[in-house]
């Protein structure tokens, strides 16, 4: 980095240290104003139309403009508890229909539909809007169920599923927030042995998250907010906020222990750890910015939220944290918890890490080969990873509405996923006849078209037919059927309608296919952008092309491990009982992409911090081998503490019920654990020892005067 950028943390810290109350007051005002924004500015949520992609998006747009989109609906299932439907089944269905017609928000009730095997009846209920309160409808279903205890009477549909999912997401987020703070505080107490020192990183992380949530409300009017963005802000904010404070606080305490004044200790921490925070924060932001390459509304929202919270955490680390340290002085080590305090003071720096590093430094080739074999073994399953959009298979099975929807789909395949074929610009009679011929042909193929009807807009300009598929949406046979419909069946039936006509195939399976196609097209650009930009930042920061290349290779290794573990756990179901989920047979399509950019960014935290310490020792004249050994040993304690926080926060998400949260939690926590141990303690030192002096171009620069970190506090070092 340039000298001006290198000096920024020092200048900011020096100003904050000499004007502590102004810095603290400014930070508090910033947080209060930001939180106030969330209370006064409404959030602009992503609309359904924003998710449209490719041919399926065009089909949905044509249907929407023609007013042919299906109104929101609910379905009430009347089913035998076992065997054939008993005599009172029809009476129960009739009672449901009669009561539903009088329920608020109901536009109409359709004819009762029997299942092919005679075990079930379905009562379709059309609603006036998707804002209808589901409670009165559920009360009707519950009353009929109570009156007919020998039957299963259950309800599912657009409103009940949405309400159930929103309630569950809220419960999950509350659980994550409630658990993550005390766990993080306990880990910080283990690291520092003093309450105030432990509380500062948690306080900075929490205020950074709160401020970002507030800022995200007005920002959502520029980049619409996706429903999971708040989860991302909490996830990333707690991780990086604690990490950055930990890096800074560790170095400041070390310098004070060496006899320096608080002001000098803060300045030295700013020049070393503060600079590392700035570089690693920039790397995280650069990696997250790669999500914009995909031009996807979900990734745009997640990237915006994550970038904001990282930037806020960096700002707090180089401004309000130095001010707090100056005002607290040696009180930062109070009140001490006697047992933990003695433990942290008695564990010398590099005790455990030195034992690991010794053999690695002495036998770098053997260490590199053995660790690489393990990493490759974990990454190999990634080559067979299957991705798909979230569907009913990924929803928590313990939600009653989800259980009912699965039962409806099983008993009535036509109520499951379907392809929608829409024609516009043709004569109404010709379009209807062509779509009817297509339905007849598709019925002989893979589609369940019995009883399907063509719907035509009031102006006669657009017609659409729904072609149900007897497969789950993620089934490969559904994808094959959509591809054949687009390439063979639809062109044969519709291409003769005339030059002014056009058609498109949409629906859930088609939408997933289009999203996967767009992702596959843009994934190489995303990967290239993220890896190239982070490599350039490393080259500029350390003036070494070799270090930039090493960083890129290690990032790829971490990503490979994460993808491999996602495939093994969620696609193949290894450990499903332990994590309390049923494998859907695929990984939700946006998870690998988000894990890639987040993991590359967060792993750079450790990488930059370690390399900055080694660079510092090299500049002081130590031989490269000794600098590598000592630099990694010196930083092992804080890396262990930081990794423990990240792994713990991410692991909390692995315990939540929503599948997206589980996947993020497992992928990130396991990969960060391996990255902070195997990759940073074995692979990195082995590679740096083999590269020797070539990795560290000597530069004329006064070294920062520091003492050996004899009393570094750590969980394990």
């Amino acid at each position: 980095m340039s000298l001006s950028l290198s000096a920024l943390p020092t200048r900011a810290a020096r100003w904050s240290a000499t004007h502590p109350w102004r810095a603290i007051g400014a930070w508090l005002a910033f947080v209060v104003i930001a939180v106030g924004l969330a209370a006064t500015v409404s959030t602009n949520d992503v609309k359904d139309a924003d998710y449209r992609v490719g041919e399926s998006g065009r089909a949905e747009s044509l249907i929407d403009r023609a007013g042919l989109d299906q109104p929101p609906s609910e379905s009430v299932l009347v089913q035998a508890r076992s065997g054939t439907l008993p005599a009172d089944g029809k009476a129960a269905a009739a009672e449901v229909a009669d009561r539903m017609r009088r329920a608020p928000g109901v536009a109409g009730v359709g004819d009762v539909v029997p299942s092919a095997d005679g075990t079930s009846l379905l009562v379709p209920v059309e609603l006036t809007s998707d804002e209808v309160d589901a409670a009165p409808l559920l009360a009707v279903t519950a009353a009929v169920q109570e009156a007919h205890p020998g039957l299963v009477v259950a309800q599912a549909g657009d409103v009940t599923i949405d309400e159930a999912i929103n309630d569950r997401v809220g419960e999950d987020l509350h659980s994550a927030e409630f658990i993550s703070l005390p766990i993080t505080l306990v880990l910080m107490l283990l690291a520092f042995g003093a309450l105030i020192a432990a509380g500062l990183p948690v306080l900075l992380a929490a205020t950074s998250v709160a401020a970002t949530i507030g800022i995200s409300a007005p920002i959502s009017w520029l980049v619409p907010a996706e429903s999971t963005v708040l989860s991302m802000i909490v996830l990333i904010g707690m991780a990086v906020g604690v990490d950055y404070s930990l890096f800074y606080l560790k170095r400041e305490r070390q310098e004070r222990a060496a006899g320096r004044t608080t002001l000098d200790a803060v300045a030295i921490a700013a020049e070393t750890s503060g600079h590392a925070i700035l570089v690693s924060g920039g790397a995280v932001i650069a990696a997250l910015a790669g999500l914009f390459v995909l031009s996807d509304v979900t990734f745009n929202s997640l990237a915006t939220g994550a970038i904001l919270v990282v930037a806020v955490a960096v700002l707090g680390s180089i401004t309000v944290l130095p001010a707090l340290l100056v005002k607290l002085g040696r009180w930062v080590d109070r009140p001490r918890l006697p047992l933990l305090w003695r433990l942290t003071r008695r564990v010398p720096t590099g005790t455990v890490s030195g034992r690991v590093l010794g053999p690695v430094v002495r036998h770098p080739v053997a260490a590199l080969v053995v660790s690489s074999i393990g990493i490759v073994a974990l990454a190999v399953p990634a080559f067979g990873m299957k991705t798909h959009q979230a569907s009913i298979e990924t929803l928590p099975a313990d939600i009653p509405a989800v259980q009912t929807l699965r039962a409806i789909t099983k008993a009535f395949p036509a109520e499951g996923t379907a392809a929608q074929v829409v024609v516009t610009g043709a004569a109404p009679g010709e379009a209807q006849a062509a779509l009817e011929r297509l339905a007849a042909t598709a019925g002989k193929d893979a589609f369940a078209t019995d009883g399907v009807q063509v719907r035509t807009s009031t102006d006669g300009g657009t017609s659409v037919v729904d072609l149900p598929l007897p497969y789950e949406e993620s089934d490969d046979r559904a994808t094959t059927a959509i591809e054949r419909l687009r390439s063979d069946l639809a062109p044969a039936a519709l291409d003769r309608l005339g030059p002014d006509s056009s058609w498109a195939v949409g629906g859930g399976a088609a939408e997933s296919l289009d999203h996967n196609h767009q992702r596959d097209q843009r994934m190489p650009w995303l990967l290239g952008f993220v890896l190239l930009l982070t490599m350039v930042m490393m080259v500029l920061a350390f003036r070494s092309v070799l270090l930039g290349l090493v960083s890129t290779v290690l990032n790829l290794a971490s990503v490979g491990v994460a993808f491999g573990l996602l495939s093994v756990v969620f696609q193949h179901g290894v450990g499903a009982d332990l994590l309390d989920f049923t494998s859907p047979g695929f990984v939700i399509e946006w998870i690998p992409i988000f894990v890639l950019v987040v993991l590359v960014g967060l792993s750079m935290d450790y990488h930059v911090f370690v390399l900055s310490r080694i660079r510092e020792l090299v500049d002081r004249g130590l031989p490269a081998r000794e600098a590598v050994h000592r630099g990694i040993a010196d930083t092992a304690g804080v890396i262990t503490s930081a990794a423990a926080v990240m792994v713990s926060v991410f692991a909390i998400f692995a315990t939540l019920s929503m599948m997206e949260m589980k996947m993020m939690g497992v992928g990130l926590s396991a990969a960060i654990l391996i990255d902070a141990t195997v990759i940073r303690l074995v692979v990195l030192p082995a590679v740096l020892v083999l590269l020797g002096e070539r990795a560290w171009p000597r530069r004329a620069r006064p070294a920062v005067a520091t003492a050996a970190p004899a009393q570094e506090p750590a969980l394990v070092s």
Side-chain angles (χ1 to χ4, degrees):
M1 297 294 175
S2 65
L3 285 176
S4 59
L5 185 56
S6 299
L8 179 60
T10 306
R11 292 176 180 174
R14 178 70 67 174
W15 184 89
S16 298
T18 53
H19 306 84
W21 288 119
R22 292 185 189 179
I24 295 170
W27 179 259
L28 288 176
F30 167 65
V31 173
V32 169
I33 291 172
V35 171
L37 286 174
T40 56
V41 179
S42 61
T43 300
N44 178 33
D45 295 321
V46 172
K47 308 296 189 297
D48 288 342
D50 296 327
Y51 292 104
R52 294 172 183 168
V53 170
E55 184 177 341
S56 61
R58 187 160 57 88
E60 188 176 348
S61 207
L62 290 172
I63 292 171
D64 186 34
R65 285 203 299 267
L68 290 172
D69 49 329
Q70 297 277 26
S73 65
E74 290 288 309
S75 296
V76 181
L77 177 68
V78 179
Q79 194 172 53
R81 292 194 179 275
S82 62
T84 58
L85 195 68
D88 63 338
K90 291 184 179 179
E95 187 177 345
V96 167
D98 181 59
R99 291 192 179 203
M100 282 293 183
R101 289 189 182 96
R102 293 173 301 192
V106 173
V109 178
D111 295 333
V112 177
V113 181
S115 65
D117 60 5
T119 62
S120 309
L121 295 173
L122 193 68
V123 183
V125 180
E126 184 178 316
L127 306 180
T128 55
S129 76
D130 55 9
E131 301 297 326
V132 170
D133 183 10
L137 308 181
L138 290 170
V140 167
T141 303
V144 177
Q145 172 67 85
E146 186 177 356
H148 299 270
L151 298 171
V152 173
V153 183
Q155 178 182 334
D158 297 329
V159 174
T160 49
I161 290 289
D162 284 348
E163 284 191 6
I165 292 174
N166 290 337
D167 290 345
R168 182 57 60 87
V169 169
E171 292 171 6
D172 279 357
L173 287 179
H174 178 73
S175 175
E177 293 164 0
F178 180 76
I179 298 172
S180 63
L181 282 176
I183 286 181
T184 303
L185 183 58
V186 167
L187 290 172
M188 291 298 95
L189 285 172
L190 291 173
F192 292 111
L195 191 58
I196 293 178
L200 282 181
V202 178
L203 178 64
L204 180 65
T207 53
S208 297
V209 167
T212 305
I213 290 175
I215 295 171
S216 64
I219 293 294
S220 69
W221 291 95
L222 299 175
V223 181
E226 220 271 349
S227 60
T228 54
V229 70
L230 293 184
S231 302
M232 294 304 97
I233 291 174
V234 174
L235 186 79
I236 304 300
M238 290 304 299
V240 299
V242 170
D243 270 10
Y244 295 159
S245 301
L246 188 61
F247 294 164
Y248 204 107
L249 187 55
K250 172 262 176 187
R251 189 56 184 265
E252 188 271 345
R253 292 180 86 207
Q254 177 185 313
E255 295 303 327
R256 276 195 296 104
R260 306 195 182 280
T261 65
T262 299
L263 192 59
D264 288 340
V266 167
I268 293 172
E271 188 174 348
T272 52
S273 295
H275 178 254
I277 288 168
L278 199 62
V279 174
S280 62
V284 176
I285 290 173
L288 291 167
L291 289 173
F292 292 115
V293 172
L294 298 174
S295 301
D296 180 275
V297 63
T298 297
F299 294 127
N300 287 349
S301 175
L302 297 180
T304 302
I307 286 172
L308 282 173
V309 77
V310 171
V312 171
V314 170
L315 178 64
S317 298
I318 63 176
T319 55
V320 71
L321 182 58
L324 288 170
L325 291 176
V326 166
K327 292 307 297 180
L328 289 169
R330 297 190 179 274
W331 277 97
V332 76
D333 293 330
R334 304 288 193 281
R336 297 172 180 173
L337 303 181
L339 180 61
L340 292 178
W341 178 260
R342 287 196 297 271
L343 179 63
T344 59
R345 308 310 287 180
R346 287 177 181 176
V347 179
T349 298
T351 301
V352 176
S353 58
R355 294 173 186 172
V356 176
L357 284 169
V360 172
V361 172
R362 289 193 300 272
H363 308 287
V365 174
L368 185 59
V369 170
V370 172
S371 57
S372 296
I373 290 173
I375 290 170
V376 169
L378 290 173
V380 163
F383 292 100
M385 183 167 63
K386 177 186 176 183
T387 60
H388 195 276
Q389 278 191 307
S391 64
I392 185 176
E393 300 144 82
T394 63
L395 294 175
D398 62 335
I399 295 178
V402 171
Q403 296 173 359
T404 303
L405 185 58
R406 290 179 177 177
I408 290 173
T409 303
K410 183 178 180 180
F412 300 88
E415 297 297 318
T417 188
Q420 291 184 310
V421 185
V422 55
V423 175
T424 187
E430 293 181 6
Q432 180 168 344
L435 287 174
E436 288 174 349
R437 288 195 301 271
L438 173 61
T441 305
K444 299 174 183 177
D445 196 84
F447 297 86
T449 59
D450 291 343
V452 300
Q453 294 183 339
V454 178
R455 308 191 311 275
T456 302
S457 61
T458 53
D459 63 3
T462 304
S463 298
V464 63
V465 65
D466 294 340
L467 304 177
L469 281 160
Y471 314 120
E472 292 182 339
E473 191 175 297
S474 61
D475 195 314
D476 289 336
R477 291 174 295 179
T479 300
T480 301
I482 294 296
E483 290 174 337
R484 191 161 55 249
L485 178 63
R486 285 177 168 177
S487 61
D488 298 330
L489 304 181
L494 306 177
D495 280 353
R496 293 173 291 178
L497 287 175
D500 295 331
S501 67
S502 63
W503 56 270
V505 175
E511 183 182 345
S512 180
L513 182 63
D514 291 340
H515 275 279
N516 282 340
H517 179 66
Q518 177 177 280
R519 185 207 63 221
D520 291 343
Q521 281 187 322
R522 298 184 181 181
M523 189 68 172
W525 292 99
L526 168 66
L527 191 61
F529 178 89
V530 171
L531 294 179
L532 182 61
L533 192 55
T534 52
M535 184 180 74
V536 168
M537 292 188 67
M538 295 302 294
V539 171
L540 293 177
F542 295 100
R543 299 289 192 267
S544 173
V545 175
L546 284 175
L547 289 182
L549 292 172
V550 168
S551 303
T552 301
V553 172
L554 295 185
N555 283 335
L556 280 173
S558 298
V559 169
V561 168
F563 285 9
L565 291 171
L566 283 172
S567 178
V568 168
V569 175
F570 293 100
Q571 183 173 327
H572 301 291
V574 176
D577 291 339
L578 181 64
L579 293 171
D580 191 26
F581 74 94
T582 301
S583 170
F586 59 87
V587 177
I588 295 173
E589 49 99 17
W590 64 270
I591 295 293
I593 296 174
F594 193 75
V595 166
L596 184 154
V597 296
V598 171
L599 183 58
V600 169
L602 295 183
S603 66
M604 295 298 287
D605 279 351
Y606 310 135
H607 197 60
V608 170
F609 189 67
V610 171
L611 292 184
S612 295
R613 181 59 174 161
I614 298 173
R615 170 87 265 180
E616 185 182 330
L617 295 171
V618 168
D619 286 347
R620 289 169 56 184
L622 269 67
R625 180 183 290 262
E626 184 180 346
V628 168
H629 192 168
R630 181 174 163 184
I632 294 178
D634 285 355
T635 55
V638 71
I639 293 298
T640 303
S641 299
V645 171
M646 281 198 181
V647 170
S648 298
V649 171
F650 294 148
I652 291 169
F653 281 76
T655 66
L656 303 182
S657 60
M658 294 300 294
M659 191 68 75
E660 292 94 332
M661 299 297 105
K662 279 187 182 293
M663 290 183 179
M664 279 192 302
V666 169
L668 288 173
S669 61
I672 288 289
L673 179 62
I674 293 171
D675 184 88
T677 52
V678 177
I679 292 179
R680 303 303 159 189
L681 283 178
V682 180
V683 178
L684 178 61
V687 171
L688 293 180
V689 167
L690 290 173
L691 290 176
E693 301 292 340
R694 290 170 294 178
W696 308 98
R698 300 284 174 172
R699 56 186 180 183
R701 177 183 170 188
V704 178
T706 61
Q711 299 291 328
E712 178 189 345
L715 274 174
V716 180
S717 56

